[in-house]
Amino acid sequence: MSTTKSTKLMPLAVALFALGVAAVVAMFVAGEHGLPAWVFAAGWLLAPAGLALGVLSAVRNARPRPRR
């Protein structure tokens, strides 16, 4: 089995999702005040983007390969 582009996307998806979850955890630990705006933006954007990229990568890997 050869390495495809979608298998290379999965580590990126996991990293984005982990950074987003870390930002959300930081929001809960620090409270609503005292955090810069980029932490809120990271929590709102990175976790869903990582999840969507991971689902896309999994779906692309599950599709049957075209025959030549």
Side-chain angles (χ1 to χ4, degrees), residues 16-32 35-49:
L16 285 176
F17 185 76
L19 286 173
V21 169
V24 169
V25 169
M27 283 188 264
F28 280 112
V29 169
E32 290 185 17
L35 290 175
W38 66 266
V39 175
F40 291 102
W44 292 337
L45 298 175
L46 291 180

